[in-house]
Amino acid sequence: MFLDYSENGKSIRADLVKPHPIGVTVSRKQGVSSFEIESAIYKDYQSGDLIGNKLKGGPCNLETISFTPHGNSTHTECLGHIATDRPYRVNELINDTFYSAELITVDTKVTDGQNALDFESINWDSINPKCLVIRSLPNGFVKTRTDYSGQNAPAILPKDMMKIVEAGIQHILIDLPSVDPEWDGGKLSSHHIFWNYPEKPRFNCSITEFCFISDEVKDGKYILKLNIAPFESDASPSSPVLYPLV
């Protein structure tokens, strides 16, 4: 099955039967985490004599799950993550449709004591999709169960985020906890630059964090679907998928 996609007068075709999922699930055990956020909590639903567990005599299995999207899984966030003028919800701002995307792989460098992604080798004139998917090095499946709390995880420097915005990128996807350092005194500089907030907010733009892109998925151009879960919040769990072009 193929998807024909047109953008800025250019048509491309994606193969929908060869998906590359790049999301990390909310886990029952050790999953991804940062900001000292505890893992998701799963409990049997209970009300009076009703218990939502077949093994405990209940009529069916019912679970109550408590989790923090920003710290427990792949999630897509909108302007509401940093806005102060009013609440903004990811499902009202982000059109969850198909987008052109480019996957790049970048290494890490240290700048003023902070681990940062190194974009020096990137030719920004050749980057023109709506979505930029960033895979950081070193890469490995361990990223799906790493607690980044206090580990000085790499982030995107403000000057590099400015280049991303100038390249016309509307959606960023990254395999790290945040585009900003874990603790930066609440500045969240790269978030503010990306959304151009509060000067002239980019309402239709999103940031997706805690992805995992296998080494089997090669750098290059794709079609992307974010697959945002229907939660009314500044961020929601998502399950992004890349589709190869033909």
Side-chain angles (χ1 to χ4, degrees), residues 22 24 32 74-75 103-106 108 117 132-140 142-144 146 148 153-156 172-179 207-215:
I22 60 171
V24 176
V32 293
T74 304
H75 60 279
L103 168 62
I104 62 174
T105 301
V106 297
T108 301
L117 297 181
L132 182 64
V133 184
I134 303 169
R135 172 170 48 202
S136 63
L137 297 176
N139 191 50
V142 67
K143 285 182 177 178
T144 66
T146 295
Y148 290 89
I156 299 178
I172 292 179
L173 295 88
I174 192 170
D175 60 359
L176 294 164
S178 177
V179 298
I207 297 175
T208 300
E209 297 161 337
F210 270 142
C211 295
F212 173 67
I213 307 104
S214 168
D215 288 333

Short mmCIF file of all heavy atoms in Angstrom, two decimals, residues 22 24 32 74-75 103-106 108 117 132-140 142-144 146 148 153-156 172-179 207-215:
data_model
loop_
_atom_site.label_atom_id
_atom_site.label_comp_id
_atom_site.label_asym_id
_atom_site.label_seq_id
_atom_site.Cartn_x
_atom_site.Cartn_y
_atom_site.Cartn_z
N ILE A 22 9.14 4.44 15.97
CA ILE A 22 10.25 5.04 16.72
C ILE A 22 9.80 5.51 18.10
O ILE A 22 10.44 6.37 18.70
CB ILE A 22 10.91 6.19 15.93
CG1 ILE A 22 9.90 7.30 15.63
CG2 ILE A 22 11.52 5.67 14.64
CD1 ILE A 22 10.56 8.55 15.05
N VAL A 24 8.68 4.90 22.24
CA VAL A 24 8.99 4.12 23.44
C VAL A 24 7.73 4.05 24.29
O VAL A 24 7.10 5.08 24.58
CB VAL A 24 10.14 4.76 24.25
CG1 VAL A 24 10.39 3.98 25.53
CG2 VAL A 24 11.41 4.83 23.41
N VAL A 32 12.05 4.50 30.22
CA VAL A 32 12.80 5.75 30.17
C VAL A 32 12.32 6.69 31.27
O VAL A 32 11.17 6.63 31.69
CB VAL A 32 12.66 6.43 28.80
CG1 VAL A 32 13.32 5.62 27.73
CG2 VAL A 32 11.20 6.69 28.47
N THR A 74 7.71 8.10 25.09
CA THR A 74 7.70 9.05 23.98
C THR A 74 6.46 9.93 24.11
O THR A 74 5.36 9.44 24.38
CB THR A 74 7.65 8.31 22.63
OG1 THR A 74 8.76 7.42 22.56
CG2 THR A 74 7.71 9.28 21.48
N HIS A 75 6.64 11.21 23.95
CA HIS A 75 5.52 12.13 24.09
C HIS A 75 5.70 13.30 23.14
O HIS A 75 6.82 13.68 22.79
CB HIS A 75 5.42 12.66 25.53
CG HIS A 75 6.65 13.39 25.98
ND1 HIS A 75 7.78 12.72 26.43
CD2 HIS A 75 6.96 14.71 26.01
CE1 HIS A 75 8.72 13.60 26.73
NE2 HIS A 75 8.25 14.82 26.48
N LEU A 103 15.53 12.16 8.69
CA LEU A 103 16.25 11.59 9.82
C LEU A 103 17.73 11.90 9.67
O LEU A 103 18.34 11.62 8.64
CB LEU A 103 16.03 10.07 9.88
CG LEU A 103 16.93 9.28 10.83
CD1 LEU A 103 16.71 9.70 12.28
CD2 LEU A 103 16.68 7.77 10.67
N ILE A 104 18.30 12.50 10.74
CA ILE A 104 19.74 12.75 10.77
C ILE A 104 20.32 12.14 12.04
O ILE A 104 19.61 11.96 13.04
CB ILE A 104 20.07 14.26 10.72
CG1 ILE A 104 19.51 14.98 11.95
CG2 ILE A 104 19.55 14.89 9.43
CD1 ILE A 104 19.93 16.44 12.05
N THR A 105 21.59 11.80 11.99
CA THR A 105 22.30 11.25 13.14
C THR A 105 23.43 12.21 13.51
O THR A 105 24.22 12.60 12.64
CB THR A 105 22.88 9.86 12.84
OG1 THR A 105 21.80 8.99 12.48
CG2 THR A 105 23.60 9.29 14.06
N VAL A 106 23.49 12.60 14.77
CA VAL A 106 24.51 13.56 15.21
C VAL A 106 25.22 13.05 16.46
O VAL A 106 24.65 12.30 17.26
CB VAL A 106 23.90 14.95 15.49
CG1 VAL A 106 23.31 15.54 14.22
CG2 VAL A 106 22.83 14.88 16.58
N THR A 108 27.79 13.96 19.97
CA THR A 108 27.67 14.85 21.12
C THR A 108 28.99 15.56 21.37
O THR A 108 30.06 15.00 21.14
CB THR A 108 27.29 14.03 22.37
OG1 THR A 108 26.05 13.36 22.13
CG2 THR A 108 27.13 14.93 23.59
N LEU A 117 24.21 18.35 21.45
CA LEU A 117 24.24 17.70 20.15
C LEU A 117 25.09 18.53 19.19
O LEU A 117 25.04 19.76 19.20
CB LEU A 117 22.83 17.52 19.61
CG LEU A 117 21.92 16.61 20.44
CD1 LEU A 117 20.55 16.48 19.80
CD2 LEU A 117 22.55 15.23 20.64
N LEU A 132 11.94 17.14 11.55
CA LEU A 132 13.33 16.74 11.69
C LEU A 132 13.43 15.71 12.80
O LEU A 132 13.07 15.99 13.95
CB LEU A 132 14.21 17.94 12.01
CG LEU A 132 15.71 17.66 12.13
CD1 LEU A 132 16.28 17.18 10.80
CD2 LEU A 132 16.46 18.89 12.63
N VAL A 133 13.89 14.51 12.45
CA VAL A 133 14.06 13.43 13.43
C VAL A 133 15.55 13.32 13.73
O VAL A 133 16.36 13.13 12.82
CB VAL A 133 13.52 12.09 12.87
CG1 VAL A 133 13.61 11.00 13.94
CG2 VAL A 133 12.08 12.25 12.39
N ILE A 134 15.90 13.44 15.01
CA ILE A 134 17.31 13.49 15.41
C ILE A 134 17.67 12.25 16.22
O ILE A 134 17.09 12.00 17.28
CB ILE A 134 17.59 14.75 16.24
CG1 ILE A 134 17.18 16.01 15.44
CG2 ILE A 134 19.06 14.83 16.63
CD1 ILE A 134 17.18 17.28 16.27
N ARG A 135 18.63 11.49 15.70
CA ARG A 135 19.17 10.34 16.42
C ARG A 135 20.56 10.73 16.95
O ARG A 135 21.41 11.19 16.21
CB ARG A 135 19.28 9.14 15.48
CG ARG A 135 20.00 7.93 16.08
CD ARG A 135 19.86 6.71 15.20
NE ARG A 135 20.17 6.99 13.80
CZ ARG A 135 19.74 6.25 12.77
NH1 ARG A 135 19.01 5.17 12.98
NH2 ARG A 135 20.06 6.57 11.53
N SER A 136 20.75 10.54 18.24
CA SER A 136 22.02 10.92 18.86
C SER A 136 22.93 9.71 19.04
O SER A 136 22.47 8.58 19.12
CB SER A 136 21.77 11.58 20.22
OG SER A 136 21.17 10.67 21.12
N LEU A 137 24.21 9.99 19.06
CA LEU A 137 25.22 8.96 19.31
C LEU A 137 25.81 9.13 20.70
O LEU A 137 25.94 10.26 21.19
CB LEU A 137 26.33 9.05 18.25
CG LEU A 137 25.91 8.78 16.80
CD1 LEU A 137 27.09 9.02 15.87
CD2 LEU A 137 25.36 7.37 16.64
N PRO A 138 26.18 8.03 21.36
CA PRO A 138 26.00 6.64 20.91
C PRO A 138 24.54 6.22 20.94
O PRO A 138 23.74 6.76 21.70
CB PRO A 138 26.83 5.85 21.93
CG PRO A 138 26.78 6.68 23.17
CD PRO A 138 26.80 8.09 22.71
N ASN A 139 24.21 5.24 20.09
CA ASN A 139 22.82 4.79 19.98
C ASN A 139 22.74 3.32 20.38
O ASN A 139 23.67 2.55 20.17
CB ASN A 139 22.33 4.95 18.54
CG ASN A 139 20.85 4.75 18.41
OD1 ASN A 139 20.07 5.35 19.15
ND2 ASN A 139 20.43 3.93 17.46
N GLY A 140 21.61 2.93 20.96
CA GLY A 140 21.42 1.54 21.36
C GLY A 140 20.09 1.36 22.06
O GLY A 140 19.49 2.33 22.54
N VAL A 142 19.42 0.41 24.84
CA VAL A 142 19.44 0.83 26.23
C VAL A 142 18.71 2.15 26.41
O VAL A 142 18.24 2.47 27.51
CB VAL A 142 20.91 0.94 26.73
CG1 VAL A 142 21.64 2.08 26.03
CG2 VAL A 142 20.96 1.11 28.24
N LYS A 143 18.56 2.93 25.35
CA LYS A 143 17.85 4.20 25.44
C LYS A 143 16.38 4.02 25.83
O LYS A 143 15.75 4.97 26.31
CB LYS A 143 17.93 4.94 24.11
CG LYS A 143 19.29 5.57 23.81
CD LYS A 143 19.26 6.32 22.49
CE LYS A 143 20.59 7.01 22.22
NZ LYS A 143 20.61 7.70 20.92
N THR A 144 15.84 2.84 25.62
CA THR A 144 14.43 2.61 25.95
C THR A 144 14.20 2.32 27.42
O THR A 144 13.06 2.18 27.86
CB THR A 144 13.87 1.44 25.12
OG1 THR A 144 14.51 0.22 25.51
CG2 THR A 144 14.09 1.67 23.63
N THR A 146 16.56 3.84 30.01
CA THR A 146 17.57 4.63 30.72
C THR A 146 16.91 5.70 31.58
O THR A 146 15.98 6.39 31.14
CB THR A 146 18.51 5.32 29.71
OG1 THR A 146 19.24 4.31 29.00
CG2 THR A 146 19.49 6.25 30.41
N TYR A 148 17.70 9.13 32.88
CA TYR A 148 18.63 10.21 32.58
C TYR A 148 18.75 11.21 33.72
O TYR A 148 19.49 12.19 33.59
CB TYR A 148 18.20 10.95 31.32
CG TYR A 148 18.35 10.17 30.04
CD1 TYR A 148 17.33 9.35 29.57
CD2 TYR A 148 19.52 10.26 29.27
CE1 TYR A 148 17.46 8.64 28.37
CE2 TYR A 148 19.66 9.55 28.09
CZ TYR A 148 18.63 8.75 27.64
OH TYR A 148 18.77 8.05 26.47
N ALA A 153 22.24 14.83 30.34
CA ALA A 153 21.88 14.35 29.01
C ALA A 153 22.09 15.43 27.97
O ALA A 153 21.90 16.62 28.23
CB ALA A 153 20.41 13.91 29.00
N PRO A 154 22.51 15.06 26.76
CA PRO A 154 22.72 16.05 25.70
C PRO A 154 21.43 16.81 25.39
O PRO A 154 20.32 16.29 25.53
CB PRO A 154 23.15 15.21 24.51
CG PRO A 154 23.70 13.95 25.11
CD PRO A 154 22.89 13.70 26.34
N ALA A 155 21.61 18.06 24.98
CA ALA A 155 20.48 18.91 24.62
C ALA A 155 20.85 19.67 23.34
O ALA A 155 21.93 19.49 22.79
CB ALA A 155 20.16 19.87 25.76
N ILE A 156 19.93 20.49 22.87
CA ILE A 156 20.17 21.31 21.68
C ILE A 156 20.52 22.72 22.11
O ILE A 156 19.75 23.37 22.83
CB ILE A 156 18.93 21.32 20.76
CG1 ILE A 156 18.60 19.90 20.29
CG2 ILE A 156 19.17 22.24 19.55
CD1 ILE A 156 17.35 19.82 19.41
N ILE A 172 9.96 18.71 15.67
CA ILE A 172 11.23 18.09 16.03
C ILE A 172 10.95 16.80 16.79
O ILE A 172 10.09 16.77 17.69
CB ILE A 172 12.07 19.01 16.92
CG1 ILE A 172 12.54 20.25 16.17
CG2 ILE A 172 13.30 18.28 17.47
CD1 ILE A 172 13.35 21.20 17.04
N LEU A 173 11.67 15.74 16.45
CA LEU A 173 11.61 14.50 17.20
C LEU A 173 13.03 14.14 17.61
O LEU A 173 13.95 14.19 16.79
CB LEU A 173 11.01 13.37 16.37
CG LEU A 173 9.54 13.55 15.96
CD1 LEU A 173 9.42 14.32 14.65
CD2 LEU A 173 8.83 12.20 15.84
N ILE A 174 13.22 13.78 18.87
CA ILE A 174 14.55 13.56 19.41
C ILE A 174 14.53 12.34 20.33
O ILE A 174 13.50 12.03 20.95
CB ILE A 174 15.01 14.83 20.17
CG1 ILE A 174 16.51 14.78 20.50
CG2 ILE A 174 14.17 15.10 21.39
CD1 ILE A 174 17.04 16.11 21.01
N ASP A 175 15.66 11.64 20.42
CA ASP A 175 15.71 10.41 21.23
C ASP A 175 16.27 10.67 22.63
O ASP A 175 16.82 9.75 23.26
CB ASP A 175 16.53 9.33 20.51
CG ASP A 175 17.97 9.76 20.23
OD1 ASP A 175 18.34 10.89 20.58
OD2 ASP A 175 18.73 8.94 19.66
N LEU A 176 16.11 11.88 23.12
CA LEU A 176 16.61 12.29 24.43
C LEU A 176 15.48 12.87 25.25
O LEU A 176 14.39 13.13 24.73
CB LEU A 176 17.74 13.31 24.25
CG LEU A 176 19.01 12.75 23.58
CD1 LEU A 176 19.90 13.88 23.08
CD2 LEU A 176 19.77 11.85 24.55
N PRO A 177 15.70 13.09 26.57
CA PRO A 177 14.61 13.55 27.43
C PRO A 177 14.06 14.92 27.08
O PRO A 177 12.89 15.21 27.31
CB PRO A 177 15.23 13.57 28.83
CG PRO A 177 16.44 12.73 28.74
CD PRO A 177 16.92 12.81 27.34
N SER A 178 14.92 15.80 26.54
CA SER A 178 14.49 17.17 26.31
C SER A 178 15.41 17.85 25.31
O SER A 178 16.58 17.48 25.16
CB SER A 178 14.50 17.96 27.63
OG SER A 178 14.15 19.31 27.42
N VAL A 179 14.90 18.88 24.63
CA VAL A 179 15.75 19.68 23.77
C VAL A 179 16.58 20.66 24.59
O VAL A 179 17.52 21.28 24.07
CB VAL A 179 14.93 20.44 22.71
CG1 VAL A 179 14.19 19.47 21.80
CG2 VAL A 179 13.96 21.43 23.35
N ILE A 207 7.19 19.42 19.61
CA ILE A 207 8.43 18.76 19.98
C ILE A 207 8.08 17.38 20.53
O ILE A 207 7.23 17.26 21.42
CB ILE A 207 9.20 19.56 21.05
CG1 ILE A 207 9.62 20.93 20.49
CG2 ILE A 207 10.43 18.78 21.53
CD1 ILE A 207 10.29 21.83 21.53
N THR A 208 8.72 16.35 19.99
CA THR A 208 8.52 14.98 20.47
C THR A 208 9.84 14.47 21.04
O THR A 208 10.86 14.50 20.37
CB THR A 208 8.04 14.07 19.33
OG1 THR A 208 6.80 14.56 18.82
CG2 THR A 208 7.84 12.64 19.82
N GLU A 209 9.79 14.02 22.29
CA GLU A 209 11.00 13.59 23.00
C GLU A 209 10.90 12.13 23.42
O GLU A 209 9.82 11.55 23.42
CB GLU A 209 11.22 14.49 24.22
CG GLU A 209 11.46 15.95 23.84
CD GLU A 209 11.22 16.93 24.96
OE1 GLU A 209 10.46 16.60 25.91
OE2 GLU A 209 11.77 18.05 24.89
N PHE A 210 12.06 11.55 23.77
CA PHE A 210 12.15 10.15 24.19
C PHE A 210 11.77 9.17 23.09
O PHE A 210 11.10 8.17 23.33
CB PHE A 210 11.28 9.90 25.43
CG PHE A 210 11.99 10.11 26.74
CD1 PHE A 210 11.33 10.69 27.81
CD2 PHE A 210 13.31 9.74 26.91
CE1 PHE A 210 11.96 10.88 29.03
CE2 PHE A 210 13.95 9.94 28.12
CZ PHE A 210 13.28 10.50 29.19
N CYS A 211 12.19 9.46 21.85
CA CYS A 211 12.03 8.47 20.78
C CYS A 211 13.17 7.45 20.87
O CYS A 211 14.11 7.60 21.66
CB CYS A 211 12.08 9.16 19.41
SG CYS A 211 10.73 10.30 19.08
N PHE A 212 13.08 6.42 20.08
CA PHE A 212 14.20 5.51 19.86
C PHE A 212 14.21 5.11 18.41
O PHE A 212 13.24 4.54 17.91
CB PHE A 212 14.14 4.27 20.74
CG PHE A 212 15.22 3.26 20.38
CD1 PHE A 212 16.55 3.56 20.60
CD2 PHE A 212 14.90 2.06 19.77
CE1 PHE A 212 17.56 2.68 20.23
CE2 PHE A 212 15.88 1.16 19.40
CZ PHE A 212 17.22 1.47 19.63
N ILE A 213 15.32 5.41 17.71
CA ILE A 213 15.44 5.10 16.29
C ILE A 213 16.53 4.05 16.12
O ILE A 213 17.72 4.33 16.33
CB ILE A 213 15.77 6.35 15.46
CG1 ILE A 213 14.77 7.47 15.76
CG2 ILE A 213 15.76 6.01 13.98
CD1 ILE A 213 15.28 8.57 16.64
N SER A 214 16.15 2.86 15.77
CA SER A 214 17.10 1.76 15.59
C SER A 214 18.13 2.10 14.52
O SER A 214 17.85 2.83 13.55
CB SER A 214 16.34 0.48 15.20
OG SER A 214 17.23 -0.52 14.75
N ASP A 215 19.34 1.53 14.66
CA ASP A 215 20.38 1.73 13.66
C ASP A 215 19.98 1.16 12.30
O ASP A 215 20.57 1.53 11.27
CB ASP A 215 21.69 1.07 14.12
CG ASP A 215 22.35 1.82 15.27
OD1 ASP A 215 22.13 3.05 15.37
OD2 ASP A 215 23.07 1.18 16.05
#
